[in-house]
Amino acid sequence: MKKKLLALVCALVMILSLASCGLSTPDTVGKVGDFEVSSGLYLLAQFSAYQQAAQLADKDQDTTDVKAFLKATITTDADSGETAVVQDYVADKTLETLRTFAAIDARFAELGGELTAEQTQVADNYAQQLMDQYGSTYTANGIGLETLKAFERIQLKHTLLLTLVYGPDGESPVDDSDLTEHLDSQMYELAYVNIPLYNTSTFVSASDDQKAQMLQLAQAAAASCSETQDGSVSEQVSALHSAASAALPDIYAVLDSTPAEDASNVQTELLTESDLTGAFTQDGAADAVRGLVYGEAAAVQYNAASIILMMRIDPLQVSTLDALRTQILSDMKGDELEDALTAYGSTLENNLSTSAMNKMPASKIVNPSSSSNS
């Protein structure tokens, strides 16, 4: 599933910064529909657009040289060969992001959504955490706590829209049987133990021969869990833990290392198809997960530095369908909701002020390390 726009904006604002570099900054830049766009949200959207352009840059294009990169041309569609000047691309994507913010806000209100005091506090608390961690960057670039609160509340509304649109009482409800089928066929609840392919004291990496030896030992541990395939989830997890506890000393010994006391602790996680393709980067690793039935264990090298000793378990023995509903809907209907919000946002009237936006040009986007040069 494609990365969601709001999640991308959130990640970017925590990493890099924006700067008005001495220009007077207006409180707002106008409205999209009935949604008033603060200067902080405008800067956030603009930098998100720039970062999207940077991801499309050729290897010989320097995206840290903002002014030069804005004049460059990028390929926006590899299949068709379509290109765009970065400055135009950034302007278009900035407006698209702001339209999405406005669409989220409008659709949430239309469907009777209202943030509770508790939900608002959760969003505000997260905004405060971001400010506590990255406050110097935000403050230096004109992004204050109120902007972060506004953004976090939009993001929360975006999440809640899944239920308002597709929930049991939603506008277009998804039947529980369809949710269950998607959970069974497209999502993977794993109980697992991670095994590093390096000495945990010296950090020396395993050789190819050592990796093969460690994997063989882990696979033998997985095979020892087969008798619990028809048991309860608690029995299956217990069996995986016991197998890991027995096998890890020999596995770690391959690298003259010893496991920590908690090395055999079993973790659980519900993965989507996109999680598999993103995290299980070694050949055949993702397919190994897809091939597991509930209660079946396996061990694979899933990235360059780790082996995973894992067992697929029934997610509905770990949580209820209601508890998993939003997560399933996000995977099942997230792209559809994004497309609907984009279409809705495109219909909203654009009353943004050109003069206000010109006071915060994309050419002033900088990395934190270079902000003092503005």
Side-chain angles (χ1 to χ4, degrees):
M1 186 175 69
K2 67 184 180 183
K3 184 177 290 185
K4 296 297 180 286
L5 174 65
L6 295 180
L8 175 63
V9 175
C10 186
L12 294 172
V13 74
M14 290 190 291
I15 298 171
L16 297 175
S17 65
L18 316 167
S20 59
C21 298
L23 294 174
S24 60
T25 303
D27 291 335
T28 73
V29 295
K31 291 184 176 183
V32 176
D34 293 327
F35 181 79
E36 187 167 63
V37 179
S38 70
S39 60
L41 287 178
Y42 176 79
L43 290 171
L44 209 59
Q46 182 175 250
F47 186 73
S48 172
Y50 183 86
Q51 186 62 19
Q52 290 177 68
Q55 291 175 341
L56 299 172
D58 293 336
K59 61 182 179 180
D60 59 345
Q61 290 177 319
D62 182 7
T63 61
T64 64
D65 186 349
V66 177
K67 291 181 179 179
F69 184 58
L70 286 170
K71 298 175 183 177
T73 298
I74 53 174
T75 300
T76 57
D77 189 322
D79 294 332
S80 68
E82 183 178 353
T83 63
V85 175
V86 173
Q87 186 148 353
D88 296 336
Y89 179 91
V90 169
D92 290 343
K93 288 295 181 180
T94 299
L95 179 57
E96 181 181 311
T97 300
L98 296 176
R99 286 187 178 280
T100 300
F101 287 165
I104 290 168
D105 194 66
R107 287 289 286 143
F108 188 76
E110 287 174 5
L111 295 173
E114 186 174 348
L115 295 182
T116 66
E118 182 179 2
Q119 289 169 332
T120 300
Q121 191 61 56
V122 168
D124 291 354
N125 287 347
Y126 188 59
Q128 183 64 62
Q129 291 173 25
L130 293 180
M131 181 57 73
D132 291 342
Q133 292 179 332
Y134 307 102
S136 59
T137 297
Y138 294 141
T139 301
N141 295 289
I143 300 173
L145 180 59
E146 292 307 310
T147 294
L148 296 179
K149 286 181 178 180
F151 174 76
E152 290 303 326
R153 292 176 190 182
I154 293 170
Q155 183 165 311
L156 180 55
K157 290 178 180 181
H158 182 248
T159 299
L160 294 173
L161 272 175
L162 283 166
T163 300
L164 290 173
V165 176
Y166 303 110
D169 300 318
E171 185 179 57
S172 302
V174 176
D175 191 81
D176 283 359
S177 62
D178 293 329
L179 287 175
T180 302
E181 193 280 331
H182 184 87
L183 180 64
D184 286 339
S185 64
Q186 302 294 324
M187 303 179 77
Y188 310 88
E189 182 86 37
L190 295 183
Y192 66 93
V193 174
N194 188 64
I195 303 171
L197 288 169
Y198 53 86
N199 184 299
T200 53
S201 298
T202 65
F203 299 102
V204 174
S205 297
S207 66
D208 288 343
D209 287 344
Q210 288 171 325
K211 290 178 181 179
Q213 184 180 356
M214 294 169 76
L215 180 57
Q216 186 176 25
L217 291 169
Q219 288 171 336
S224 71
C225 302
S226 60
E227 69 275 6
T228 63
Q229 190 167 321
D230 295 327
S232 67
V233 163
S234 61
E235 291 171 336
Q236 292 165 353
V237 171
S238 178
L240 185 67
H241 172 71
S242 296
S245 297
L248 287 184
D250 289 340
I251 296 174
Y252 276 66
V254 173
L255 298 177
D256 297 322
S257 183
T258 56
E261 289 185 6
D262 62 353
S264 62
N265 287 356
V266 177
Q267 303 178 66
T268 61
E269 188 169 354
L270 183 60
L271 303 179
T272 65
E273 275 290 336
S274 60
D275 293 330
L276 287 188
T277 56
F280 286 66
T281 57
Q282 298 296 299
D283 289 343
D287 285 338
V289 177
R290 296 185 186 103
L292 293 175
V293 299
Y294 292 148
E296 185 179 7
V300 297
Q301 182 183 345
Y302 77 99
N303 63 30
S306 302
I307 288 171
I308 184 170
L309 173 59
M310 60 186 173
M311 178 182 289
R312 188 178 181 189
I313 57 178
D314 184 352
L316 293 180
Q317 287 194 39
V318 178
S319 297
T320 65
L321 188 64
D322 279 340
L324 296 173
R325 188 178 302 276
T326 298
Q327 194 171 354
I328 302 170
L329 286 174
S330 178
D331 188 56
M332 186 178 182
K333 292 291 189 178
D335 287 349
E336 181 179 303
L337 178 61
E338 287 300 307
D339 291 342
L341 288 171
T342 299
Y344 187 92
S346 68
T347 68
L348 298 175
E349 187 175 0
N350 177 4
N351 287 313
L352 297 176
S353 166
T354 301
S355 62
M357 292 186 291
N358 285 343
K359 294 179 180 179
M360 297 174 286
S363 61
K364 297 302 181 180
I365 296 173
V366 295
N367 292 327
S369 59
S370 61
S371 59
S372 60
N373 298 328
S374 300

